[in-house]
Amino acid sequence: MSAAALPGTPFVHYRGEELFVEEVRLADLARAHGTPLFVYSRAAMLSALAAYQRGFAGRKARIFYALKANSSLAILQVFARAGCGFDIVSGGELERVLAAGAKGSDIIFSGVGKTRREMQRALEAGIHCFNVESEAELEVLSEVAAGLGQKAPVSLRVNPDVNPLTHPYISTGLKGNKFGIAHKDALRAYRRAAALPGLRVVGIDCHIGSQITQVSPYLDALERVLDLVAAIEAEGIPISHIDFGGGLGIVYNSESPPAADVLWQRLLARLDARGYGDRQLMIEPGRSLVGNAGVCVAEVLYLKPGEQKNFCIIDAAMNDLPRPAMYEAFHQIVPLKQSATKPVTYDVVGPVCESGDWIGRDRKLAVQPGELLAVLSAGAYCMSMASNYNTRGRPAEVLVDGAQAHVIREREDVADQVRKEKLLP
Ligand SMILES: *Cc1c(COP(=O)(O)O)cnc(C)c1O
């Protein structure tokens, strides 16, 4: 296997027979910090961000990292220092972003179920904008803001009803989705927003899905959103920013998503053609900034040959890497040290007591118990979705920067897990 055979980023690569993240040998990190262990490349994140920045060069544009993809504080710091804003979906994420050193004005707040308390806290923090997802939410937000003597800045998340051509669980811009305001209702919702005393209309947004690997759904959504902007402004409601959401896919296996700068060349050409190229543009990428930057290192515990299947049982499980169980997602799995031994086909599974606890099916691997594997493209929607199911502590995390490795989260122990629990008297 050569470096070119690994998906996604040159910052995770073989040097000789051994797997490295940037200048750091993964086996050394596993020895020092144990497994399962998440390891991230800072350079891979910054290079993913740079592709967007190139795409927007010379434009009025701002990138808001959607931190639900990976919300570890040090990762937020990396993006804050690089000038990113943040797209949050909960009050908890608000506190994380502030703890990482960002300002309220760097934050936009998405999500279908914001509570009054979350709204109040976000208003007190002075966030840049609320992305509102229903007419009922408009009323509540107006009340909360008026109660604080404020006018909440709002953008309405409209549902352009385009098919993102991705997994149904991660498509969000279709008629049957819980997200956003239906295209046909959007004008009415904008009139209502403009009339409410506690609101100030500032923008429009959409987010059609995740792991999108084609340009066409974005182009379709863009046309539909611009049609709405024209209709809303014709009613005397100015739209000062247009936010196209996130959703750009990454390489897990053999996908070929457009590079961020290429995607934006195409979208900007359409924006220019329709006369909107000089507007304030915003985007909310999550997965595409961090997904390929991370790996999860695991140890092989047992090999269990069977009549129909051979199992390779590792010490990482669905609680650490939930995407296969949740979406039947694919992650490449590779050895930390390549070997010349003949590979065997295994289902790679974790120790959790669920048949859904699998990490990869029908993988050819030449491994022995005690050896180490890396689950690739594990930077997004892994650690941020990790749980304590089976009373498994969540893994430690390490951020690599060149030849340096920083522990950014310690492994959880049982004491951490039971800290808030109480025995009966
Ligand atoms: C999840 C989410 C994003 C980021 O999606 P990715 O696919 O990770 O880029 C952006 N905006 C909203 C509203 C989201 O819910």
Side-chain angles (χ1 to χ4, degrees), residues 106-120:
D106 298 326
I107 297 169
I108 58 177
F109 192 172
S110 300
V112 294
K114 303 176 192 80
T115 64
R116 285 171 188 263
R117 228 186 124 74
E118 287 174 321
M119 290 171 175
Q120 181 165 346

Side-chain angles (χ1 to χ4, degrees), residues 136 139 148 199 329 407 413:
E139 305 282 344
L148 294 173
L199 302 183
V407 175
D413 59 23

Side-chain angles (χ1 to χ4, degrees), residues 109-418:
F109 192 172
S110 300
V112 294
K114 303 176 192 80
T115 64
R116 285 171 188 263
R117 228 186 124 74
E118 287 174 321
M119 290 171 175
Q120 181 165 346
R121 181 72 188 111
L123 285 164
E124 285 163 358
I127 69 164
H128 186 67
C129 176
F130 289 85
N131 288 350
V132 173
E133 302 221 13
S134 65
E135 294 186 54
E137 185 189 337
L138 285 175
E139 305 282 344
V140 172
L141 180 58
S142 174
E143 254 178 59
V144 174
L148 294 173
Q150 291 193 27
K151 277 182 174 289
V154 296
S155 159
L156 270 59
R157 174 168 175 183
V158 299
N159 192 334
D161 196 26
V162 303
N163 189 343
L165 310 173
T166 183
H167 189 286
Y169 277 18
I170 47 178
S171 78
T172 56
L174 283 165
K175 274 185 187 144
N177 287 126
K178 71 174 175 181
F179 299 103
I181 294 169
H183 194 270
K184 67 170 180 38
D185 301 331
L187 203 50
R188 187 183 71 211
Y190 268 97
R191 283 189 204 117
R192 200 150 162 197
L196 283 167
L199 302 183
R200 178 163 56 88
V201 172
V202 294
I204 190 166
D205 64 284
C206 71
H207 172 69
I208 56 174
S210 201
Q211 187 52 18
I212 301 167
T213 54
Q214 280 156 274
V215 175
S216 60
Y218 282 102
L219 283 168
D220 294 348
L222 175 107
E223 303 292 349
R224 306 263 297 161
V225 168
L226 294 185
D227 292 347
L228 272 178
V229 173
I232 296 159
E233 292 193 328
E235 302 225 351
I237 305 171
I239 298 294
S240 68
H241 76 242
I242 311 176
D243 173 352
F244 293 97
L248 181 59
I250 63 167
V251 183
Y252 287 101
N253 189 15
S254 53
E255 303 89 343
S256 46
D261 49 346
V262 173
L263 171 67
W264 277 95
Q265 261 168 25
R266 300 278 305 276
L267 292 174
L268 288 166
R270 276 308 295 161
L271 278 162
D272 288 340
R274 290 193 57 173
Y276 292 94
D278 59 353
R279 292 298 178 105
Q280 176 69 42
L281 304 175
M282 294 173 24
I283 53 160
E284 309 164 351
R287 186 192 312 270
S288 53
L289 293 181
V290 292
N292 284 135
V295 307
C296 181
V297 180
E299 181 182 326
V300 176
L301 298 175
Y302 301 103
L303 298 177
K304 186 171 173 182
E307 253 172 54
Q308 293 187 355
K309 288 267 186 187
N310 301 310
F311 293 99
C312 171
I313 302 168
I314 63 175
D315 65 357
M318 65 186 288
N319 70 297
D320 313 301
L321 295 161
R323 300 186 60 259
M326 271 183 82
Y327 321 112
E328 304 203 318
F330 181 96
H331 287 275
Q332 264 203 37
I333 304 172
V334 300
L336 257 51
K337 191 170 171 50
Q338 292 175 314
S339 103
T341 327
K342 191 167 175 294
V344 176
T345 301
Y346 294 104
D347 274 12
V348 179
V349 302
V352 164
C353 303
E354 296 281 346
S355 297
D357 181 27
W358 58 278
I359 307 297
R361 290 192 167 130
D362 297 322
R363 303 304 175 83
K364 283 195 165 50
L365 290 166
V367 283
Q368 292 302 321
E371 291 180 353
L372 297 166
L373 297 175
V375 179
L376 304 183
S377 308
Y381 302 109
C382 293
M383 190 62 190
S384 60
M385 280 187 174
S387 79
N388 292 123
Y389 190 38
N390 281 209
T391 308
R392 291 169 51 85
R394 287 178 299 163
E397 297 180 291
V398 170
L399 182 74
V400 169
D401 179 8
Q404 280 192 309
H406 306 279
V407 175
I408 61 167
R409 183 195 298 259
E410 290 176 13
R411 185 174 307 284
E412 254 176 343
D413 59 23
V414 179
D416 295 325
Q417 291 184 60
V418 300

